Amino acid sequence: MRLDKFLSTTLGITRKEAGKLLKNKEIEVNGEIVKNGSLKVTDDCDVEFNGRTLSFMGPRYFMLNKPQGFVCSHVDDYNPTVFVLLDEVSPEKLHVAGRLDGDTTGLVLLTDDGQWSHRITSPRHVCEKVYYVELADPVAEDVATAFAEGVQLRGEKDLTRPAKLDILGEREALITISEGKYHQVKRMFAAVGNKVVALHREQIGSVELDEDLEPGEYRPLSEEEIASFLK
Ligand code: URA
């Protein structure tokens, strides 16, 4: 493949932009600066941009520990987006598989594989998500029964799918839901007269947030984690 095509594919840029990088002597092939876009590159060439080796990208999969105040969309007028936390080539090609609210923290999965994220977000697939919740008021025992039966959210036609509530303390609980309606957890507690004051996602399917990841840190998913959504 021509070097300029290789650059545009791996960096997600146009051929013209690739030409500029070459002209500006920003590309090295096997340790030598190269300016000629027609140079043929093969699998065994070491192509570097900004000190980073470029390779043909397969689909990408990451887990991020989302900090508070970051939004899961690509563009926001007021808040930073989770994508600024990624030190990756072409972060604009990635999307979030199941958004969190700006004030919610914890596990976010990011990918450029739309079919894979569909398995996580589509209502046709049952994918459980576990959240740690802190509440304004004490949580009553009968809320667990109400959630197990499904609750009526304002503005929704159907009851929520059965959810599991593990009460951990007077004002804290773990909730497991298998759908992703807008503000679902907050609205479920509102439906039983309580208010969520802190929300943290711990798990999606069988993938748990890595305890080693500080807020704002991320890592690639393992092969096993990726495959767990395809079973
Ligand atoms: N439910 C909510 O209310 N907010 C989230 O961010 C996720 C689930």
Side-chain angles (χ1 to χ4, degrees):
M1 177 186 280
R2 285 174 58 111
L3 178 57
D4 52 5
K5 174 141 193 272
F6 175 85
L7 293 173
S8 76
T9 309
T10 53
L11 291 169
I13 57 177
T14 62
R15 288 259 195 126
K16 199 169 162 196
E17 287 164 338
K20 277 193 195 149
L21 294 181
L22 290 160
K23 201 169 154 214
N24 294 340
K25 301 185 182 169
E26 293 185 73
I27 304 298
E28 280 187 23
V29 179
N30 298 334
E32 306 258 349
I33 291 174
V34 175
K35 290 171 73 183
N36 181 1
S38 67
L39 181 91
K40 291 273 181 287
V41 287
T42 52
D43 270 350
D44 53 0
C45 286
D46 178 26
V47 184
E48 272 192 32
F49 166 57
N50 265 344
R52 187 203 305 248
T53 298
L54 303 178
S55 56
F56 281 109
M57 259 189 279
R60 297 178 287 172
Y61 308 89
F62 303 102
M63 75 157 67
L64 164 77
N65 185 358
K66 180 182 137 3
Q68 212 171 19
F70 285 73
V71 294
C72 286
S73 51
H74 273 284
V75 184
D76 191 278
D77 287 341
Y78 304 105
N79 304 289
T81 83
V82 291
F83 297 96
V84 303
L85 299 166
L86 308 177
D87 182 19
E88 295 299 319
V89 167
S90 306
E92 73 286 352
K93 297 216 166 130
L94 296 164
H95 62 267
V96 163
R99 293 179 179 204
L100 291 179
D101 298 335
D103 57 358
T104 303
T105 56
L107 178 61
V108 164
L109 300 178
L110 297 130
T111 184
D112 49 10
D113 181 346
Q115 283 189 347
W116 184 81
S117 59
H118 189 71
R119 302 292 289 245
I120 297 168
T121 56
S122 161
R124 289 181 50 213
H125 298 281
V126 174
C127 177
E128 291 192 330
K129 289 123 195 154
V130 183
Y131 294 84
Y132 168 79
V133 195
E134 282 176 22
L135 297 152
D137 296 312
V139 56
E141 284 292 338
D142 60 358
V143 172
T145 315
F147 283 3
E149 286 167 1
V151 288
Q152 185 66 55
L153 302 184
R154 278 182 69 172
E156 298 287 341
K157 200 157 56 72
D158 301 319
L159 294 183
T160 55
R161 280 188 193 156
K164 184 165 168 264
L165 187 71
D166 294 310
I167 298 173
L168 303 176
E170 202 183 28
R171 288 181 174 79
E172 56 178 342
L174 280 183
I175 181 170
T176 306
I177 58 174
S178 60
E179 54 196 336
K181 291 191 164 68
Y182 181 65
H183 293 332
Q184 173 141 356
V185 175
K186 292 173 186 164
R187 288 163 74 207
M188 286 177 76
F189 280 98
V192 294
N194 211 328
K195 186 174 185 311
V196 170
V197 294
L199 189 57
H200 180 81
R201 186 155 64 193
E202 296 194 340
Q203 193 173 334
I204 302 176
S206 61
V207 174
E208 290 177 37
L209 179 62
D210 197 325
E211 284 178 6
D212 294 339
L213 291 178
E214 295 293 329
E217 291 184 343
Y218 71 101
R219 68 154 171 85
L221 292 184
S222 67
E223 290 298 325
E224 200 184 339
E225 288 169 331
I226 297 164
S228 70
F229 294 102
L230 305 174
K231 284 177 189 154

